[in-house]
């Protein structure tokens, strides 16, 4: 995911494959990440191991390059093909560049799915999105509305005016406003995903809307800047900052009370779901085509769309009850 910082790992690429002990008949699922040493992906590996323990006949091979390059992932894929693994579940560094190597894997009978960051359709059997635009749009307004039972004024602090995902999420939010009576969106501003500009825009929102109750920032940069602006304005308890953010960056805002809650995907759930899906396709012969419904264990059932993509779940909500658990992970 683009919001997660690249961390270099020290182990040699070809040798960096960690696996759980397994019997010969076990299904070997390779969880290929963007780069080793990144907390988000290490958490996803924990989820995959949870799935393996639940299934009982699975070996998880956690691997990836030492930096976030397509070339590094291609080398990893080729090594996995040589090992004749049963399935590859990959978070891609490049949508198109990995396709030839992954097609080679599929030709060898290896199940290939992508998760988190997708591969072009011709290079995989299905893709697991952490969530969907509609689910994200609903969640960001719900996070504000849940703390405003009598209604109130909210404003949006987005990234750039041309940011595709941000604009889609706001559009989806506007579609469900009727489900939240009494909540009024009084303005939308853009911080360009720059901390200083986002801070100034959040400050401006509070100055121009003295009765403002919440700032919704569907951007990990904007939400942190807005929370700091609320603290500096002395409006903790008056203006609630919410949206999409990282636990490691938002722990202080939860502690100060500037944010009551926020959301982002849970990487443990994501790794768990990816392993479950790879198992169902590889071991149980589930067809991963449009309209397919594939079990994901405790995460329910994934329904694939016309592009053989599916959304795992609502964004996961973080608040005072769980922030300490996740702030050291990502």
């Amino acid at each position: 995911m683009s919001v997660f910082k690249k961390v270099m790992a020290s182990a040699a690429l070809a040798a960096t494959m960690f696996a759980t002990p397994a019997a010969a008949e076990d299904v070997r699922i390779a969880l290929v990440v963007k780069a080793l040493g990144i907390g988000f992906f290490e958490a996803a590996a924990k989820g995959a191991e949870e799935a393996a323990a639940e299934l009982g006949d699975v070996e998880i091979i956690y691997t990836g390059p030492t930096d976030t390059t397509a070339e590094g992932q291609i080398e990893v894929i080729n090594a996995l093909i040589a090992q004749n693994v049963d399935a590859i579940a990959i978070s891609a560094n490049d949508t198109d560049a990995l396709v030839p190597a992954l097609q080679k894997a599929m030709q060898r009978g290896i199940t290939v799915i992508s998760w988190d960051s997708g591969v072009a359709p011709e290079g995989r059997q299905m893709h697991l999105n952490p969530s969907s635009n509609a689910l994200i749009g609903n969640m960001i307004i719900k996070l504000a509305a849940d703390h405003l039972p009598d209604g109130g004024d909210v404003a949006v602090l987005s990234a750039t005016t041309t940011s595709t995902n941000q604009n889609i999420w706001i559009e989806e939010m506007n579609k469900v406003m009727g489900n939240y009576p009494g909540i009024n969106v009084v303005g939308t501003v853009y911080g360009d995903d720059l901390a200083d500009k986002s801070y100034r825009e959040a400050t401006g929102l509070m100055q121009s809307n003295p009765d403002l109750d919440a700032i919704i920032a569907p951007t990990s940069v904007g939400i942190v800047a807005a929370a700091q602006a609320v603290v500096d304005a002395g409006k903790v308890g008056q203006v609630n900052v919410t949206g999409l953010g990282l636990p490691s960056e938002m722990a202080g805002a939860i502690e100060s009370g500037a944010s009551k809650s926020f959301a982002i995907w849970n990487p443990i759930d994501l790794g768990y779901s990816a392993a479950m899906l790879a198992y169902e396709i590889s071991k149980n012969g589930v067809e991963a085509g449009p309209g397919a419904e594939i079990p994901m264990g405790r995460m329910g059932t994934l329904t694939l769309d016309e592009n053989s993509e599916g959304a795992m779940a609502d964004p996961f909500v973080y608040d005072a009850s769980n922030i300490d658990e996740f702030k050291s992970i990502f």
Side-chain angles (χ1 to χ4, degrees):
M1 298 172 70
S2 62
V3 291
F4 303 109
K5 297 180 180 179
K6 180 172 70 176
V7 181
M8 300 297 288
S10 58
L13 170 64
T16 325
M17 295 185 179
F18 306 101
T20 53
E25 68 274 13
D26 281 356
V27 178
R28 293 183 299 156
I29 300 173
L31 192 75
V32 182
V33 298
K34 289 186 173 184
L36 296 171
I38 297 177
F40 178 86
F41 291 119
E42 290 171 353
K46 291 179 182 178
E49 292 290 0
E50 178 192 340
E54 187 176 318
L55 292 165
D57 61 344
V58 172
E59 173 191 358
I60 297 296
I61 301 170
Y62 175 62
T63 184
T66 54
D67 56 11
T68 54
T69 63
E71 293 77 13
Q73 284 192 319
I74 290 169
E75 189 172 343
V76 168
I77 292 164
N78 287 331
L80 292 169
I81 293 172
Q83 291 183 41
N84 195 31
V85 298
D86 295 291
I88 294 173
I90 188 166
S91 177
N93 285 327
D94 189 293
T95 301
D96 299 311
L98 305 182
V99 168
L102 291 173
Q103 285 181 330
K104 180 182 176 184
M106 289 189 288
Q107 290 164 2
R108 301 288 179 89
I110 298 172
T111 293
V112 175
I113 71 169
S114 56
W115 57 282
D116 175 46
S117 181
V119 175
E122 58 269 24
R124 45 76 173 170
Q125 287 158 268
M126 59 148 289
H127 175 65
L128 173 67
N129 285 308
S131 191
S132 70
N133 291 327
L135 292 175
I136 294 167
N138 179 71
M139 178 59 74
I140 58 177
I141 189 63
K142 182 179 185 297
L143 286 166
D146 280 351
H147 298 284
L148 295 170
D150 299 321
D153 292 343
V154 305
V156 177
L157 169 61
S158 188
T160 68
T161 57
T162 57
S163 177
T164 303
N165 58 351
Q166 305 275 320
N167 288 338
I168 292 173
W169 296 338
I170 294 168
E171 180 181 338
E172 293 292 340
M173 181 192 81
N174 289 330
K175 288 180 183 178
V176 297
M177 287 302 297
N179 297 334
Y180 303 97
I183 303 296
N184 305 305
V185 179
V186 296
T188 299
V189 296
Y190 301 89
D192 294 343
D193 258 355
L194 300 171
D196 54 349
K197 184 176 182 184
S198 297
Y199 179 93
R200 291 194 302 271
E201 293 290 351
T203 300
L205 282 172
M206 290 183 285
Q207 291 173 344
S208 58
N209 301 278
D211 295 325
L212 190 66
D213 296 295
I215 296 175
I216 299 168
T219 151
S220 61
V221 175
I223 193 172
V224 174
Q228 188 60 53
V230 166
V231 170
D232 292 349
K235 292 198 172 186
V236 171
Q238 180 180 338
V239 179
N240 174 37
V241 176
T242 190
L244 304 178
L246 303 180
S248 59
E249 297 178 353
M250 285 295 291
I254 293 292
E255 183 178 348
S256 72
S259 176
K260 297 182 186 298
S261 60
F262 63 96
I264 198 71
W265 354 116
N266 182 332
I268 296 173
D269 290 347
L270 197 53
Y272 172 92
S273 299
M276 282 289 184
L277 293 165
Y279 179 87
E280 289 292 336
I281 297 168
S282 178
K283 177 66 181 276
N284 293 335
V286 173
E287 291 289 335
E293 296 183 352
I294 309 176
M296 295 188 295
R298 62 172 173 79
M299 294 303 295
T301 300
L302 185 75
T303 301
L304 299 182
D305 64 13
E306 65 276 8
N307 298 314
S308 295
E309 299 184 16
M312 180 181 73
D314 277 322
F316 188 83
V317 177
Y318 300 86
D319 56 24
S321 72
N322 60 13
I323 191 69
D324 287 341
E325 176 186 353
F326 288 96
K327 68 182 182 182
S328 61
I329 296 177
F330 71 107

